[in-house]
Amino acid sequence: MPSLSPVIAEIRLAVRTALAGLPEGSTVLVGLSGGADSLALTAATVFEARSRGIHVLSATVDHGLQEGSSLIASTAAVAAEGVGVEDALQTRVEVDRSSGAGIEAAARDARYAALAGIARAEKATAVLLGHTLDDQAETVLLGLARGSGATSLQGMAPMREDEDGLRWIRPLLGVRRETTRAFCAASVLEFWDDPHNLDDRFARVRARETVLPVLEAELGPGIAEALARTAEQLREDAEAFDEMIHETIEDIVEHAEAGISVSVAALAANPAALRNRIIRLVVDSEFGVSLTRAQTLEVARLVTDWSGQGPIDLPGCSAARSGGQVVFAARS
């Protein structure tokens, strides 16, 4: 028998590891764009799923942003059927161009909502996404450029579970993009190259095509791997912080008439990093709002530097000091 191509072996191993935590006989949905990353993921998932009795579906989301997008989606579905997917699904979404978040973010939100809806309808246990180590490095680099803080620099999680219990899994976060292309070549799979991936109007494309190559040339090879390692280390730190916060928060938070309150003394007793995380978590959990660093620090001053100021207007709520409590109340 001919030896197995190393690139095929690498991607199959990554997928096998990712599927190990799923129940036998479950159903997974692979998000398939038709590009090399998602097509390699789909083919490897079909192969690895057989021994576990896992059912593999694919879903291709047509954003309608490019001419011929419906044909691209149909071609991807045909490719999925060609590698053995049980049901290659397609759906069309409307991208909200007026959201103010940018076309990339709006398209991503629409895509994820569509994938979640299909997964629920098909009773899938998990959605598999084809992000690679290169995507992770670009995410961390863009987070650094925005000064977004540790949360953004954690990049994309290999696995997360949403509020409905659906798992979102990225098996290829340790795999280079060039490996997925080599996988497709070795497997004789034709993939689609999205022209948006070369459009320098998008910050991610500039990071990929210009910034990372310059960093590699000036600082030496291995920049993408180093950025991905940074994300992994920060994610480990964040998980430890989150565990500490949830242990702490039960003792210092109380429900108030119009919202929720936190003990000033308890917040003051914690280090600044933990205090700020508690403030952000309380506001996010209660009001569904993500505070900026500037907003978080302004709330923290109610604890560390209070001279009668307040209330502080925040998105969806306000914060004020009342006695020994910082009270977060819904804005009417």
Side-chain angles (χ1 to χ4, degrees), residues 46-104:
V46 169
F47 181 87
E48 294 296 335
R50 292 190 186 113
S51 63
R52 301 281 312 284
I54 292 175
H55 305 281
V56 182
L57 313 177
S58 70
T60 302
V61 179
D62 176 8
H63 303 89
L65 297 176
Q66 300 182 46
E67 185 177 348
S69 61
S70 59
L71 177 60
I72 294 167
S74 298
T75 303
V78 170
E81 291 170 351
V83 299
V85 165
E86 294 181 27
D87 195 359
L89 306 166
Q90 302 175 60
T91 188
R92 176 76 177 253
V93 297
E94 293 296 326
V95 176
D96 183 3
R97 298 171 182 261
S98 63
S99 66
I103 195 68
E104 283 183 297

Side-chain angles (χ1 to χ4, degrees), residues 73-283:
S74 298
T75 303
V78 170
E81 291 170 351
V83 299
V85 165
E86 294 181 27
D87 195 359
L89 306 166
Q90 302 175 60
T91 188
R92 176 76 177 253
V93 297
E94 293 296 326
V95 176
D96 183 3
R97 298 171 182 261
S98 63
S99 66
I103 195 68
E104 283 183 297
R108 181 178 62 248
D109 290 346
R111 178 169 65 254
Y112 280 28
L115 291 173
I118 293 171
R120 284 194 295 270
E122 299 293 335
K123 296 182 171 54
T125 301
V127 177
L128 274 55
L129 303 171
H131 298 109
T132 65
L133 185 147
D134 298 82
D135 295 309
Q136 185 76 299
E138 292 157 14
T139 299
V140 175
L141 186 59
L142 290 171
L144 281 169
R146 290 192 296 265
S148 302
T151 300
S152 177
L153 299 186
Q154 294 169 39
M156 296 173 284
M159 195 281 286
R160 69 174 179 88
E161 189 169 315
D162 66 21
E163 60 275 7
D164 296 325
L166 178 64
R167 302 182 201 183
W168 297 78
I169 303 175
R170 296 178 172 90
L172 305 185
L173 279 185
V175 174
R176 296 301 303 260
R177 184 177 291 131
E178 63 190 23
T179 304
T180 67
R181 299 176 74 90
F183 178 105
C184 290
S187 304
V188 197
L189 298 174
E190 293 188 15
F191 56 86
W192 171 63
D193 270 321
D194 186 349
H196 280 176
N197 288 334
L198 297 174
D199 189 338
D200 63 9
R201 290 178 301 166
F202 301 118
R204 182 173 289 272
V205 173
R206 295 194 298 274
R208 175 185 308 146
E209 297 296 324
T210 303
V211 179
L212 278 170
V214 168
L215 289 175
E216 293 269 355
E218 296 297 327
L219 301 179
I223 295 296
E225 289 86 352
L227 288 169
R229 284 197 305 273
T230 297
E232 185 177 4
Q233 291 163 7
L234 285 170
R235 200 159 42 248
E236 291 173 353
D237 291 347
E239 289 171 359
F241 262 123
D242 287 346
E243 187 174 339
M244 294 170 63
I245 289 171
H246 284 98
E247 288 176 355
T248 302
I249 210 166
E250 294 179 2
D251 298 326
I252 68 173
V253 171
E254 299 177 4
H255 284 284
E257 183 177 344
I260 198 165
S261 66
V262 188
S263 164
V264 168
L267 283 172
N270 280 295
L274 198 55
R275 179 167 56 245
N276 293 340
R277 282 175 178 265
I278 291 171
I279 290 169
R280 287 195 296 269
L281 178 61
V282 166
V283 173

